[in-house]
């Protein structure tokens, strides 16, 4: 390390000697020192900072010894550095010796490894080959495991599918069966590769396992369906899954539905007989046979029970087949419901026939006919036309009741024609007419309250009116045939008025009212045609020319002239009033007289003037 020398102070100028400002060294140095900015001279600051550590007293002695102090301090620092570096040198030499020893050891080990490598080269080659073979075997094992997992069942799944006869079916069974189906479909991939033999073997194995599984599933489902013989039927989720699985085997699927239909048929028949004879639990509701004295309620309760049972059986089948997605499910449901309800047809038919054949009355027969038609329409809306036997039975009973109803009306009409009553003295409706119209009113009232579809009711209405009104009109005509012209007209008008009044209260009567209106015109009645009226008016003209000629001879024997005058006056008013009514009827276009002015050429006022 270089010695650090104290700065040489410049010689001061001698006093009294003039010096030039630019040539004086001291001056220049002072100026330089004064111009120097110590904060920018880092070396000077560091030197001053180091100086301050040992230069603590600024005196003449210390200033003179400053150079020596700096040199001594520099020497001490250099000696310390030499001492420390000597230790470093010794440590480096020790490290060098260790490195040399390690180098010798490594060379020895390297030579030994080289010798060992030469000796174990064959072993390494064999080991490498074994490792590669192990990797290939591990890859094959993974492929084999994946193959088995994809194309084979586990032992548990095999046990589920092959289970014992008494072992129940669970949801795990359907999962295993789904795996069999999936394997059977996936194995087709192998048939398109070089593994056709394995594919065929697996396919055959899965096919046999499928058949075994479906056979066990069918037996279990069959037993389950045989237990559904209670009136209330609970369809379990497992049974629903079983039907969904059996759809892939149409024959087993059909046999299962037949088994279900047979079980439910016996349950429905037993329930129907119990409802007829025993009633509900605890006697509520009461047995239907208890109401056999009321034919309408009796038949209505039986049909209502069948309607409810039919709807319930359809709901049971829909619940059991809700997971089945093949075509024709709705047809299967309707077919099975038809088979189930077929068992109640015979007892139903026997009881309804007993009621109808007993002929409870035309009105009641008509109500029963409408009731049967309503339930035929309602039940067919639930199960379509597949429940052919039940619907046919109801339709047969409807036709039978309708036939006996019209037979009853025809018998009533024939009785009217057999014994024609004479018109009453007041020329009002006869008792037979009133009775028949009351019967018709009751029939039409039950017809209006019927729940049968509108088009069917309208068709029945026309037939009912034809069966009643035509004989009634014929009876009225025959009853009035022995009356005079005016009395006949009055009686017929009153009878037609009663018929029209009765029909006007009900629907579908407009056409018949028009027909009655057509039968009502005076011109169509006997002795009320234009020729007959002209002959009568000629006689009336002779009366007008000499009204006194028709006076009764007994008037001349009356002692009171006032009474005689009053009788003549009242009779004249009656004649004028009758002529006014006749004139209005003839002039009415609805009575269809042609050229009415040629029939009645005098107005009522003219006739009144002639007679007054």
């Amino acid at each position: 390390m270089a010695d650090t020398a104290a700065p040489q102070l410049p010689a001061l100028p001698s006093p009294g000697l003039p010096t030039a400002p630019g040539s004086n060294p001291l001056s220049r140095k002072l100026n330089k020192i004064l111009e120097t900015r110590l904060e920018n001279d880092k070396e000077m600051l560091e030197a001053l900072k180091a100086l301050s550590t040992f230069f603590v007293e600024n005196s003449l002695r210390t200033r003179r010894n400053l150079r020596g102090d700096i040199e001594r301090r520099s020497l001490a620092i250099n000696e310390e550095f030499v001492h420390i570096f000597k230790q470093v040198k010794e440590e480096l030499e020790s490290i060098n010796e260790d490195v040399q020893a390690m180098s010798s050891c490594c060379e020895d080990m390297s030579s030994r490894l080289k010798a060992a490598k030469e000796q174990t080269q064959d072993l390494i080659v064999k080991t490498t080959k074994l490792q590669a073979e192990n990797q290939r075997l591990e890859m094959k094992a993974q492929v084999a495991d994946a193959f088995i997992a994809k194309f084979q069942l586990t032992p548990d799944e095999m046990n589920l599918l092959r289970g014992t006869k008494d072992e129940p079916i669970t949801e795990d069974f359907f999962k295993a069966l789904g795996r069999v189906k999936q394997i059977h479909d996936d194995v087709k991939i192998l048939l398109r590769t070089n593994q056709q033999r394995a594919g065929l073997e697996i396919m055959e194995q899965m096919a046999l396992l499928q058949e075994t599984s479906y056979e066990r599933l069918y037996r279990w489902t069959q037993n389950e369906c045989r237990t559904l013989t209670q009136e209330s039927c609970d369809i379990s989720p497992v049974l629903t899954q079983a039907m969904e699985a059996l759809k892939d085997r149409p024959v087993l699927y059909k046999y299962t539905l037949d088994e279900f239909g047979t079980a439910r048929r016996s349950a429905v028949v037993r329930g129907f007989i119990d409802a007829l004879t025993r009633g509900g639990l605890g006697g509520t509701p009461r047995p239907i046979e208890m109401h056999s004295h009321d034919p309408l309620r009796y038949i209505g309760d039986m049909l209502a029970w069948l309607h409810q049972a039919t709807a319930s059986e359809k709901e049971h089948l829909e619940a059991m087949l809700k997971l089945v997605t093949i075509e024709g499910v709705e047809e299967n449901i309707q077919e099975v419901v038809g088979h189930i309800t077929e068992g109640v047809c015979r007892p139903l038919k026997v009881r309804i026939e007993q009621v109808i054949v007993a002929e409870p009355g035309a009105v009641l027969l008509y109500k029963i006919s409408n009731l049967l038609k309503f339930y035929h329409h309602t039940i067919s809306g639930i199960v379509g036309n597949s429940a052919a036997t039940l619907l046919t039975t109801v339709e047969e009973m409807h036709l039978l009741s309708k036939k006996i109803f019209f037979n009853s009306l025809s018998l009533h009409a024939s009785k009217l024609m057999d014994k024609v009553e004479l018109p009453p003295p007041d020329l009002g409706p006869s008792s037979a007419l009133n009775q028949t119209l009351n019967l018709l009113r009751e029939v039409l009232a039950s017809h209006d309250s019927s729940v049968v579809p509108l088009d069917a009711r309208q068709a029945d209405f026309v037939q009912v009116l034809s069966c009643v009104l035509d004989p009634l009109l014929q009876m009225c005509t025959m009853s009035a045939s022995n009356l005079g012209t005016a009395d006949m007209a009055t009686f017929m008008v009153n009878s037609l008025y009663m018929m029209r009044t009765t029909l006007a209260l009900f629907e579908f009567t407009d056409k018949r009212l028009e027909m009655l209106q057509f039968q009502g015109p005076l011109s169509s009645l006997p002795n009320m045609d234009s020729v007959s009226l002209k002959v009568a008016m000629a006689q009336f003209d002779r009366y007008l020319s000499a009204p006194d000629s028709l006076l009764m001879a007994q008037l001349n024997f009356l002692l009171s002239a006032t009474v005689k005058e009053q009788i003549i006056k009242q009779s004249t008013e009656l004649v004028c009033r009758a002529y006014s009514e006749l004139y209005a009827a003839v002039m009415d276009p609805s009575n269809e007289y042609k050229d009415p002015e040629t029939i009645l050429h005098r107005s009522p006022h003219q006739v009144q003037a002639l007679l007054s």
Side-chain angles (χ1 to χ4, degrees):
M1 182 176 180
D3 294 338
T4 302
Q8 295 286 336
L9 294 178
L12 295 177
S14 300
L17 294 178
T19 59
S23 60
N24 189 347
L26 181 60
S27 177
R28 287 195 302 273
K29 287 186 177 184
L30 286 174
N31 288 333
K32 183 177 180 181
I33 291 171
L34 291 174
E35 290 175 357
T36 300
R37 300 183 65 83
L38 295 177
E39 62 271 12
N40 294 331
D41 193 351
K42 293 183 179 182
E43 293 182 356
M44 179 62 72
L45 289 175
E46 291 294 331
L48 292 175
K49 186 177 180 180
L51 182 63
S52 65
T53 58
F54 61 90
F55 189 75
V56 295
E57 183 181 357
N58 187 8
S59 61
L60 178 62
R61 187 181 62 82
T62 57
R63 284 196 299 271
R64 289 178 179 174
N65 297 329
L66 179 60
R67 181 183 183 89
D69 292 340
I70 292 173
E71 290 177 351
R72 284 191 298 272
R73 184 173 181 81
S74 177
L75 180 60
I77 291 172
N78 287 331
E79 289 177 351
E80 184 179 2
F81 177 77
V82 170
H83 177 72
I84 293 173
F85 192 76
K86 183 179 179 181
Q87 294 178 353
V88 172
K89 177 177 176 294
E90 292 176 353
E91 291 293 334
L92 288 176
E93 289 177 351
S94 175
I95 291 172
N96 183 50
E97 292 176 356
D98 293 339
V99 170
Q100 291 294 334
M102 289 177 64
S103 177
S104 300
C105 183
C106 287
E107 289 179 357
D108 182 55
M109 290 178 63
S110 178
S111 61
R112 290 182 180 183
L113 287 174
K114 186 176 180 181
K117 184 177 181 181
E118 293 176 354
Q119 295 175 359
T120 59
Q121 184 66 33
D122 294 338
L123 182 60
I124 293 174
V125 173
K126 291 180 180 180
T127 303
T128 304
K129 291 181 179 180
L130 291 175
Q131 289 177 347
E133 184 67 21
N134 184 45
Q135 292 179 353
R136 287 194 297 271
L137 291 176
E138 288 180 355
M139 181 64 68
K140 288 182 179 181
Q142 292 176 0
V143 172
D145 291 340
F147 183 87
I148 292 173
K150 187 174 182 62
F151 295 106
Q152 292 294 321
L153 296 177
T154 63
D156 293 338
E157 291 173 335
M158 296 287 286
N159 293 332
L160 284 172
L161 295 177
R162 294 175 176 174
T164 61
K165 180 180 179 180
D166 298 330
E167 188 176 350
I169 298 293
T170 62
E171 293 187 1
D172 294 335
F173 175 88
F174 299 103
K175 294 179 182 178
L177 183 59
R179 280 272 295 139
V180 173
K181 294 179 184 178
Q182 187 65 41
I183 292 173
H184 192 273
D185 293 337
D186 292 343
V187 79
K188 296 177 183 178
I189 301 174
L190 296 178
L191 300 179
R192 296 195 293 265
T193 64
N194 296 328
Q195 305 296 329
Q196 294 183 358
R197 180 178 178 181
L200 291 173
E201 290 178 356
I202 294 174
M203 182 175 287
E204 182 179 359
Q205 180 187 8
M206 292 299 111
L208 292 174
L209 192 56
Q210 269 188 319
E211 293 303 322
T212 303
S213 303
Y214 278 118
E215 183 66 23
R216 177 169 180 252
L217 181 61
Y218 167 68
R219 296 300 179 191
W220 178 87
T221 308
Q222 189 180 44
N223 292 331
E224 284 292 307
C225 292
R226 287 174 179 172
T227 61
L228 301 177
T229 55
Q230 301 299 322
E231 187 172 349
S232 60
C233 176
D234 295 329
I235 305 299
S236 64
V238 178
L239 182 58
T240 302
Q241 287 182 294
M243 294 305 299
E244 191 272 337
L246 287 175
K247 74 178 188 299
D248 296 331
R249 294 294 185 272
V251 175
L252 300 181
Y253 175 79
K254 180 66 169 58
Y255 286 167
T256 304
L257 288 180
D258 292 344
E259 193 69 39
F260 177 85
T262 301
R264 293 308 303 162
R265 173 172 173 162
S266 62
V268 170
V269 172
R270 185 172 58 255
F272 183 61
I273 299 301
D274 289 345
L276 288 172
T277 58
R278 299 174 58 183
L281 296 176
T284 304
R286 300 175 64 189
I288 298 176
E289 295 284 1
M290 296 286 290
H291 307 291
S292 58
H293 62 281
D294 184 355
L296 190 63
R297 180 176 179 181
Y298 180 49
I299 295 177
D301 287 349
M302 287 191 293
L303 293 175
W305 191 96
L306 284 178
H307 170 247
Q308 181 180 1
T310 304
S312 298
E313 294 307 316
K314 183 180 180 182
E315 290 177 358
H316 295 158
L317 278 166
E318 289 176 344
M320 189 171 70
L321 302 180
K322 64 182 180 181
L323 299 180
V324 179
T325 56
I326 59 176
E327 295 182 0
V329 175
E330 188 64 30
E331 290 76 5
N332 292 333
I333 292 176
Q334 294 181 0
E335 182 180 353
V336 176
V337 171
H339 176 68
I340 292 172
T341 56
E342 185 178 357
V344 299
C345 293
R346 181 60 183 170
L348 175 69
K349 183 176 181 180
V350 169
R351 285 163 175 78
I352 296 179
E353 278 182 345
Q354 290 176 348
V355 173
I356 294 175
V357 173
E359 296 188 16
V363 177
L364 199 53
L365 282 171
Y366 190 67
K367 290 181 178 179
I368 292 174
S369 174
N370 286 335
L371 185 65
L372 289 166
K373 182 179 290 187
F374 164 72
Y375 275 104
H376 182 279
H377 176 75
T378 304
I379 294 175
S380 64
I382 295 175
V383 297
N385 296 322
S386 60
T389 306
L390 177 61
L391 294 178
T392 302
T393 301
V394 176
E395 179 66 18
E396 288 176 355
M397 294 300 97
H398 162 66
L399 295 176
L400 178 62
S401 62
K402 188 175 179 181
K403 178 182 178 181
I404 297 181
F405 163 70
F406 283 112
N407 288 343
S408 177
L409 292 183
S410 300
L411 180 62
H412 182 83
S414 63
K415 289 180 179 179
L416 294 177
M417 301 305 297
D418 291 342
K419 188 178 180 180
V420 178
E421 296 181 0
L422 293 176
D426 59 356
L427 301 180
S430 63
S431 59
L433 177 63
N434 287 329
Q435 292 176 2
T436 306
L437 289 179
N438 287 334
L439 174 63
L440 180 63
R441 190 179 296 110
E442 291 181 7
V443 171
L444 296 183
S446 65
H447 187 278
D448 270 5
S449 62
S450 173
V451 289
V452 175
L454 193 64
D455 53 348
R457 282 193 290 161
Q458 188 171 4
D460 290 344
F461 201 93
V462 175
Q463 191 174 0
V464 170
L465 294 181
S466 300
C467 190
V468 175
L469 291 181
D470 293 343
L472 203 58
L473 288 172
Q474 187 177 0
M475 181 204 73
C476 292
T477 304
M478 293 177 63
S479 179
S481 60
N482 295 327
L483 296 176
T485 303
D487 291 344
M488 178 186 292
T490 303
F491 176 72
M492 291 301 296
V493 168
N494 288 335
S495 299
L496 292 173
Y497 172 76
M498 289 298 296
M499 295 180 195
R500 295 186 63 190
T501 303
T502 301
L503 294 182
L505 300 175
F506 305 98
E507 58 182 352
F508 307 132
T509 60
D510 295 340
K511 185 175 181 180
R512 199 69 192 189
L513 287 174
E514 292 176 1
M515 295 176 65
L516 289 177
Q517 184 70 22
F518 175 75
Q519 295 172 359
L522 292 178
S523 60
S524 64
L525 296 178
N527 299 324
M528 290 299 293
D529 56 283
S530 299
V531 176
S532 300
L533 285 180
K534 287 180 180 180
V535 173
M537 286 302 102
Q539 296 177 357
F540 188 66
D541 288 341
R542 288 195 295 271
Y543 163 73
L544 291 178
S545 61
D548 294 339
S549 62
L550 295 179
L551 290 176
M552 297 178 66
Q554 288 80 359
L555 288 176
N556 296 325
F557 298 105
L558 292 175
L559 298 177
S560 175
T562 302
V563 173
K564 180 179 180 180
E565 182 180 355
Q566 187 176 1
I567 291 174
I568 295 174
K569 181 180 179 182
Q570 289 180 356
S571 62
T572 303
E573 290 177 353
L574 289 174
V575 171
C576 291
R577 188 184 305 166
Y579 184 80
S580 298
E581 293 178 357
L582 179 62
Y583 184 85
V586 172
M587 295 301 172
D588 188 354
S590 63
N591 288 319
E592 300 181 1
Y593 284 106
K594 296 181 179 179
D595 299 328
E597 294 82 4
T598 62
I599 301 174
L600 301 178
H601 50 274
R602 288 188 177 90
S603 67
H605 296 288
Q606 293 173 342
V607 171
Q608 186 175 7
L610 291 174
L611 294 178
S612 60

